Amino acid sequence: MSNASISSAAAAPQSDQQSPTLDALIVGAGFSGLYQLLCLRDKLGLEVRVLEAGAGIGGTWYWNRYPGARCDSESHSYCYSFSEELMQEWEWSERYPEPPEILRYLNHVADRFQLKRSIQFNTRVKSVHYDQHANVWQVGTEGGERFTTRFLITAVGCLSAANVPKIAGLDSFAGRWYHTGEWPHEGVDFSGKRVGLIGTGSTGIQATPVIAATAAHLTVFQRTANYSVPARNVPLTEEFKRYVKQNAKSIRQLMHATTNGHPFAIDERSALQVTPEERQALYEAAWERGGLQFRATFQDLLVSKAANDTASEFLKNKIRSIVKDPATAAKLADIDHPYAAKRPPIDTDYFETFNRSNVALVDLRATPIERIMPHGIRTTAGDHALDIIVFATGFDAMTGPLLRMDVRGRGGVSLADAWSAGPRNYLGLQVAGFPNLFTITGPGSPSVLCNMPVAIEQHVEWITDCIAHMRKHGLTRIETSAEAMDKWVAEVNRAAAATLLPQAKHSWYLGANIPGKPRVFMPYPGGMAHYRTICDGVAARNYEGFSLSA
Ligand code: NA7
């Protein structure tokens, strides 16, 4: 890994281009774009613009308004922690917030820091081209506007490019269909309707009970059976709200110290060092507490198959005990991967919903979809008549939002070509050949394996410090190297191989949900706290692995 070099000899030739209009352009106005704007505009005093495709702020939460949508990080940890005043003045109402409450929070933040005046809404970025002579990025929008900027920061989210599978006959469907990640803001009325829901990831598992409660009939089409632990959502008590305010600092410290950025520590015991009775009691207690904390019951659940098997068996037994029809229970419990090797869903009455008389489960492994017909879905076992199809089929995760823009770096090389064998970058932050382009929570960073606001704040603050450093030293270009990328990709693969995560073959972490997408383990599984130390070390060693020039 080469040390960063500060050299004016590498300066780009002067061009007749006008000087950059903007110091920084940020794509996206979700959690990351808002905080990046605040840091660059108000801390560093830069000329900054945010371009946002939606008509409002919120990113993920602007688009994901499907029935049952709820954050699965706990509310008191799913917020910014950079401002003590902000933490003291905001109060969440429930253990897990719903999109409207998260949007109220983000609007409060945007209004408090007067962010909206720097955001241009209804503006989808179409092209992002580096002009190497002028050392600026040329940004084009779908509306035909053009912007020139020195730094380009993508704050486009990891799960924002909806995946609607190409199933033959969809165009012929006579009813209505929706993807959960592009849900109509006016809502969908399911009453009296026969609904088909495809997908049993976190989204399908959240939506199933809520749709079943109003639809005439719901058919759930399951390709990969999934674990789920009860969320146990509750309104927050006054006592808990007081606890959060009085302990804001220590909660933040805990989130910064843990692997996944959540406000709970992982138990130090191995699942295999306790007696079977003790283990059962600990799992029962975790099941009763609910939520992602189940994953923290033992320290080795994600690294030891034998340890994971104990959690897996406990959770499969729960399915068998909840679901009354043994054939349905068997399909739901026929899970092909270790617990938490795919993103572990949490739910409210998911398995219980299969005891309703108006709900049916179709196992797509046994009877795959053949095509969509005008009146419903045809599987190899026959037809299912439907009025509405809900695609809870996830996203072209992590790389999708970046590659759906036409990103071209030095020499006109496209990011799609640079990543034809899967994403390669340095620290998840930058790609060689794409100077001054930073990707917040990009592939190769902890991102989706972490409580997102914690991952986002760390990236935003690192990028801000880096740009401040450059301005202080009169530097205008930062670019990583192929060598630094190779080492980082090796580190991501090493960290992944040390866990059970790659054992889930049908996982969007690996890109497996998108036909033709290269199978590369995308998020960095080395732990958020460890990753923060690595990034801090890189900066302290004069941006080791990057080349900085004037
Ligand atoms: P996920 O977790 O990617 O789940 C998508 C689901 O859709 C999953 O069960 C997929 O099965 C299924 N799927 C995808 N394509 C198809 C086709 N063509 N046919 C049938 N079934 C299909 O997305 P979510 O929206 O639930 O969750 C995304 C993240 O949001 C979540 O992890 C949290 O971090 C929040 P597969 O497993 O690929 O066989």
Side-chain angles (χ1 to χ4, degrees):
M1 202 173 290
S2 64
N3 271 319
S5 58
I6 299 179
S7 92
S8 54
Q14 290 298 305
S15 89
D16 53 8
Q17 278 274 347
Q18 58 182 49
S19 55
T21 333
L22 296 168
D23 296 314
L25 189 142
I26 298 163
V27 188
F31 264 94
S32 26
L34 293 176
Y35 185 37
Q36 189 68 79
L37 167 63
L38 174 64
C39 286
L40 294 183
R41 189 192 69 183
D42 296 357
K43 257 187 170 174
L44 302 193
L46 304 190
E47 193 62 43
V48 188
R49 181 79 59 94
V50 178
L51 302 182
E52 164 57 52
I57 62 169
T60 292
W61 303 105
Y62 178 85
W63 302 103
N64 280 268
R65 304 185 189 210
Y66 58 86
R70 209 178 266 286
C71 183
D72 50 16
S73 288
E74 301 196 24
S75 55
H76 68 289
S77 67
Y78 198 77
C79 46
Y80 295 114
S81 68
F82 64 82
S83 159
E84 180 66 26
E85 297 78 35
L86 183 58
M87 285 196 289
Q88 291 302 325
E89 72 199 15
W90 185 260
E91 255 176 26
W92 294 100
S93 67
E94 293 181 275
R95 183 173 176 188
Y96 306 97
E98 288 186 300
E101 188 168 20
I102 301 173
L103 291 175
R104 276 201 300 282
Y105 170 72
L106 288 175
N107 275 286
H108 168 74
V109 174
D111 293 340
R112 188 186 199 285
F113 296 104
Q114 299 170 351
L115 298 178
K116 287 179 188 164
R117 66 182 156 85
S118 303
I119 306 171
Q120 186 171 320
F121 293 105
N122 300 304
T123 307
R124 188 175 287 278
V125 171
K126 192 174 152 198
S127 64
V128 167
H129 294 174
Y130 180 61
D131 173 346
Q132 66 195 75
H133 300 298
N135 185 30
V136 292
W137 284 90
Q138 304 285 358
V139 178
T141 71
E142 275 187 356
E145 280 178 281
R146 303 201 67 78
F147 298 86
T148 306
T149 180
R150 164 106 328 136
F151 293 101
L152 184 81
I153 297 147
T154 60
V156 291
C158 298
L159 298 163
S160 54
N163 165 42
V164 179
K166 292 183 178 56
I167 301 176
L170 179 57
D171 289 350
S172 73
F173 183 55
R176 307 294 302 267
W177 65 265
Y178 307 91
H179 186 282
T180 49
E182 293 172 346
W183 201 254
H185 286 191
E186 65 278 14
V188 175
D189 183 7
F190 293 105
S191 47
K193 299 282 197 287
R194 296 162 305 176
V195 182
L197 178 141
I198 305 178
T200 51
S202 300
T203 300
I205 282 175
Q206 285 185 334
T208 290
V210 184
I211 297 176
T214 51
H217 189 269
L218 173 66
T219 308
V220 176
F221 294 87
Q222 166 187 284
R223 186 164 73 180
T224 304
N226 223 334
Y227 302 95
S228 188
V229 169
R232 310 232 185 261
N233 183 52
V234 282
L236 295 180
T237 61
E238 291 309 313
E239 189 192 353
F240 186 79
K241 290 178 191 173
R242 254 196 320 277
Y243 157 79
V244 168
K245 290 195 179 184
Q246 285 167 2
N247 296 281
K249 277 210 180 95
S250 57
I251 293 171
R252 183 174 195 263
Q253 275 165 4
L254 179 59
M255 294 196 296
H256 280 205
T258 57
T259 302
N260 303 106
H262 287 289
F264 47 81
I266 298 172
D267 197 293
E268 285 172 4
R269 281 170 293 190
S270 158
L272 306 175
Q273 87 183 58
V274 296
T275 65
E277 295 72 28
E278 251 182 294
R279 194 164 54 224
Q280 182 73 10
L282 287 165
Y283 282 142
E284 285 289 357
W287 177 266
E288 286 311 315
R289 265 197 310 279
L292 292 175
Q293 291 190 40
F294 192 90
R295 194 172 45 179
T297 311
F298 296 107
Q299 52 85 4
D300 51 353
L301 290 185
L302 263 176
V303 292
S304 156
K305 179 70 169 55
N308 194 289
D309 283 347
T310 65
S312 169
E313 205 39 45
F314 175 88
L315 293 171
K316 287 177 182 176
N317 281 335
K318 283 290 180 193
I319 299 172
R320 293 176 193 120
S321 70
I322 294 169
V323 180
K324 293 187 178 132
D325 172 45
T328 305
K331 286 182 211 166
L332 289 166
D334 185 16
I335 305 174
D336 66 357
H337 52 275
Y339 165 66
K342 291 179 83 164
R343 180 63 148 73
I346 62 174
D347 71 277
T348 302
D349 294 339
Y350 175 63
F351 296 117
E352 288 82 351
T353 298
F354 291 94
N355 293 332
R356 295 178 65 112
S357 58
N358 69 333
V359 176
L361 179 70
V362 172
D363 175 4
L364 294 180
R365 291 270 170 90
T367 57
I369 294 176
E370 283 190 338
R371 60 178 295 116
I372 295 178
M373 311 292 289
H375 61 273
I377 292 181
R378 173 166 294 172
T379 69
T380 53
D383 288 2
H384 299 270
L386 301 169
D387 305 305
I388 296 176
I389 299 175
V390 175
F391 288 97
T393 43
F395 302 88
D396 183 353
M398 309 201 76
T399 54
L402 296 166
L403 296 178
R404 286 185 187 187
M405 298 184 288
D406 173 24
V407 183
R408 289 174 191 271
R410 193 186 286 288
V413 172
S414 74
L415 187 61
D417 282 342
W419 283 2
S420 58
R424 298 181 67 76
N425 62 16
Y426 181 42
L427 301 174
L429 277 165
Q430 212 184 52
V431 185
F434 297 77
N436 292 353
L437 167 61
F438 293 106
T439 51
I440 301 178
T441 61
S445 72
S447 55
V448 292
L449 296 177
C450 181
N451 179 23
M452 285 307 285
V454 174
I456 286 167
E457 283 190 332
Q458 184 266 341
H459 259 191
V460 166
E461 287 164 10
W462 193 94
I463 292 166
T464 305
D465 289 348
C466 175
I467 293 177
H469 168 89
M470 291 175 70
R471 289 176 68 84
K472 186 171 165 204
H473 293 92
L475 303 165
T476 56
R477 184 168 46 218
I478 175 165
E479 182 174 2
T480 190
S481 65
E483 188 198 6
M485 289 202 306
D486 287 347
K487 289 190 175 166
W488 183 247
V489 170
E491 165 60 12
V492 175
N493 290 335
R494 182 209 58 77
T499 71
L500 303 177
L501 292 166
Q503 291 193 18
K505 299 294 174 210
H506 303 280
S507 158
W508 59 258
Y509 292 159
L510 272 168
N513 62 327
I514 305 293
K517 187 165 173 169
R519 302 281 170 104
V520 169
F521 196 85
M522 293 187 288
Y524 177 59
M528 187 62 217
H530 178 58
Y531 174 79
R532 185 188 299 276
T533 308
I534 293 173
C535 291
D536 288 350
V538 164
R541 291 187 296 278
N542 203 12
Y543 293 94
E544 180 182 59
F546 293 96
S547 162
L548 287 81
S549 56

